[in-house]
Amino acid sequence: MHMDNADIAIIGGTGFYGSDLLENFREIEISTPYGKPSDSITIGDFNGLKIAFLPRHGKKHSITPHRINFRANMWALKQLGVKRIITPDAVGSLQENIRPGEFLIPDQFIDLTNSRNNTFYDEGKVAHISMAEPFCPELSRIVFESGKNLGYEMHDKGTVVVIQGPRFSSKAESKLYRSWDAQIINMEVSTECTLAREAEICYAYIGMITDYDTFADKTVNVTDVMEILKQNSNNAHDLIKDAIPKIPQKRGCACGDALKDAMV
Ligand SMILES: [Zn+2]
């Protein structure tokens, strides 16, 4: 365990950079057996808890999705003693009824990424972690209820398709994902969620809808997207502020025992 510690971590994705909900904060550098995390980690106080903030793409947003050192990020948070991760992130919508500005809390993913280090168990020990229910049900429920509470348009449950990137989908791909009954699309969540489960950390994802994926045949206007990103980011801040005090100290989920039946 690191000398610093935190109870809950927020991983900031595209469209979410703020650590401004923290008081008495400081930045710490953590090194891991996998190299450096995306950036220094900010640790501070909120509502009597220690909260860590890590920007997934680095503070300057310079790390492209397939180059993120997901293992170093997760290892660093584990070293801090983090038990829960909440991550708001910009996503594309695959369905007309899931509109820009709305939030979706997924309960499933379809992982189409390739050539990523998505396990801590690639030599020595063999672990087959269960991903039947990839996201923490308890934490996801709390986050969803907070969004509802604040009057946001919230979508409960749904499937996120995770593509390798950094390119966007072709129209044919986007239409295929729609036919799978998937709701949103992103480039990071499955890798991170899997490593969180291996680290026995609860993980809840807030998909902030920024635009429609390429199926929609809409020209993307950068000004509109930036406007939506800003609004989503402000809303996500308020949502997290509302959710954190509602998280029970003792976990009522199985995430903390994920390795128990996974080791060969
Ligand atoms: Zn959990």
Side-chain angles (χ1 to χ4, degrees), residues 152-166:
Y152 302 159
E153 276 308 321
M154 300 294 294
H155 298 271
D156 188 14
K157 303 190 188 329
T159 298
V160 53
V161 170
V162 188
I163 58 172
Q164 171 72 4

Side-chain angles (χ1 to χ4, degrees), residues 5-217:
N5 67 83
D7 309 287
I8 297 169
I10 298 159
I11 302 180
T14 307
F16 193 96
Y17 306 102
S19 47
D20 50 338
L21 51 90
L22 305 181
E23 288 174 0
N24 310 317
F25 62 85
R26 63 194 186 284
E27 304 218 353
I28 57 167
E29 301 278 347
I30 297 185
S31 57
T32 83
Y34 304 100
K36 277 188 166 300
S38 295
D39 213 317
S40 56
I41 296 176
T42 309
I43 293 190
D45 301 316
F46 176 74
N47 203 65
L49 293 166
K50 292 269 179 235
I51 312 286
F53 178 83
L54 172 64
R56 182 183 291 119
H57 299 271
K59 288 202 182 75
K60 295 183 184 135
H61 199 87
S62 53
I63 309 172
T64 189
H66 68 290
R67 305 284 297 195
I68 292 167
N69 193 339
F70 290 101
R71 291 196 297 183
N73 287 353
M74 198 55 65
W75 188 272
L77 297 178
K78 181 74 179 174
Q79 269 197 296
L80 292 172
V82 165
K83 297 277 193 303
R84 270 112 161 186
I85 293 172
I86 301 174
T87 177
D89 198 12
V91 299
S93 169
L94 293 164
Q95 306 293 343
E96 287 88 348
N97 67 332
I98 298 167
R99 299 172 193 86
E102 300 178 354
F103 288 178
L104 185 142
I105 314 299
D107 66 329
Q108 289 293 323
F109 66 62
I110 296 173
D111 185 3
L112 301 176
T113 64
N114 56 66
S115 62
R116 289 191 190 179
N117 289 319
N118 65 349
T119 180
F120 292 116
Y121 296 93
D122 59 354
E123 54 184 325
K125 289 182 190 161
V126 175
H128 299 291
I129 207 88
S130 171
M131 273 287 136
E133 300 292 340
F135 299 92
C136 175
E138 183 179 62
L139 197 54
S140 297
R141 168 60 41 189
I142 291 167
V143 165
F144 173 76
E145 295 292 343
S146 280
K148 274 271 176 217
N149 207 17
L150 294 166
Y152 302 159
E153 276 308 321
M154 300 294 294
H155 298 271
D156 188 14
K157 303 190 188 329
T159 298
V160 53
V161 170
V162 188
I163 58 172
Q164 171 72 4
R167 69 168 179 85
F168 289 121
S169 327
S170 71
K171 271 186 195 164
E173 288 167 336
S174 190
K175 284 175 181 165
L176 178 67
Y177 307 151
R178 276 163 62 76
S179 77
W180 292 346
D181 196 30
Q183 279 71 39
I184 54 174
I185 184 162
N186 167 268
M187 297 175 190
E188 298 97 3
V189 59
S190 55
T191 316
E192 202 169 78
C193 180
T194 303
L195 290 165
R197 180 60 58 80
E198 282 192 354
E200 300 187 321
I201 299 173
C202 297
Y203 185 92
Y205 186 81
I206 305 169
M208 311 188 293
I209 319 299
T210 306
D211 52 20
Y212 288 108
D213 199 41
T214 38
F215 78 89
D217 226 357

